[in-house]
Amino acid sequence: MQVKRVEKQLNAFEKLGIPEIIKGMLFTFGSMFKKRVTRQYPEERYVAPAAVKGQPLLVENEDGTPRCVACSLCEVVCPPKAITIQAEETDRYIEREPEEFSIDMLRCILCGLCEEVCPKEAIVMSDRYELAAFTREELVFHKDQLLTPKADLRKRIDFTKEKFDKWNS
Ligand code: SF4
Ligand code: SF4
């Protein structure tokens, strides 16, 4: 069956695009009275909500030790292979901890799989989103740079616990 094409006949105004121009001008005029959303960055910083997946960071216990037990699950699951862990034995009850733990933020795609797979609430997606540097090396973050007090990551930890029923057992 052949489909019949119906072409709309445009009048002289429509051919010149005048209705669209008027619509555009009305939209612009209406926008002049709306609340402005421009942020004066960097003086006015954006505080990301807990759902935002920013730079992954390592959780530091109250006594300054890392929560990470160097199980390497996050290293294995990381799609772009951004995580590198060197484990060492420890006298603490957890037996193993990372001697070195690095995340290459040039590779990281902020997918959050490392956080999802971690059994120890040891790596979380923070609200840190400013990732700019002058050299590639500066964007490879090492253990000391990644370790962050648990209190500073509380917002995301609580969100993850509630949203995904994670680390609750
Ligand atoms: S957020 Fe994704 S890409 Fe980045 S380190 Fe974690 S698993 Fe790898
Ligand atoms: S951060 Fe979590 S998943 Fe990664 S090695 Fe440490 S305990 Fe394992």
Side-chain angles (χ1 to χ4, degrees):
M1 194 180 81
Q2 213 175 359
V3 181
K4 201 176 160 198
R5 256 181 82 196
V6 182
E7 279 188 20
K8 190 185 171 221
Q9 293 299 313
L10 302 179
N11 61 33
F13 274 117
E14 288 170 329
K15 280 184 186 163
L16 288 171
I18 292 186
E20 270 61 42
I21 293 172
I22 292 172
K23 264 191 245 168
M25 287 177 81
L26 285 175
F27 181 80
T28 308
F29 188 71
S31 303
M32 288 164 71
F33 301 101
K34 286 188 185 155
K35 189 173 169 253
R36 276 188 294 169
V37 290
T38 312
R39 192 180 295 275
Q40 299 303 316
Y41 182 86
E43 288 79 19
E44 252 183 75
R45 292 190 179 249
Y46 171 65
V47 180
V52 166
K53 290 177 183 172
Q55 183 187 5
L57 294 175
L58 289 175
V59 182
E60 186 181 76
N61 291 317
E62 284 77 11
D63 61 3
T65 55
R67 283 188 69 79
C68 176
V69 294
C71 69
S72 285
L73 277 177
C74 55
E75 186 180 22
V76 171
V77 83
C78 177
K81 303 285 171 227
I83 299 177
T84 307
I85 302 172
Q86 183 69 47
E88 68 176 351
E89 288 191 3
T90 168
D91 294 334
R92 292 195 293 137
Y93 67 97
I94 59 169
E95 295 179 11
R96 272 158 62 98
E97 65 178 22
E99 183 186 14
E100 174 52 355
F101 193 120
S102 67
I103 302 181
D104 185 344
M105 289 311 295
L106 289 166
R107 283 173 167 260
C108 177
I109 53 172
L110 305 174
C111 65
L113 283 178
C114 50
E115 178 191 63
E116 236 175 90
V117 80
C118 179
K120 287 290 174 191
E121 195 185 295
I123 187 166
V124 296
M125 306 304 287
S126 70
D127 59 2
R128 200 185 284 179
Y129 56 87
E130 289 165 320
L131 291 164
F134 289 103
T135 63
R136 300 179 75 82
E137 290 72 29
E138 284 175 75
L139 286 170
V140 180
F141 289 80
H142 298 280
K143 190 174 91 173
D144 291 346
Q145 297 164 290
L146 294 169
L147 275 172
T148 309
K150 193 175 176 180
D152 295 351
L153 299 168
R154 174 57 61 200
K155 190 170 71 168
R156 178 69 189 182
I157 292 172
D158 289 347
F159 171 83
T160 314
K161 278 181 173 173
E162 190 194 318
K163 206 80 185 158
F164 307 113
D165 194 24
K166 195 166 155 48
W167 302 318
N168 281 333
S169 53

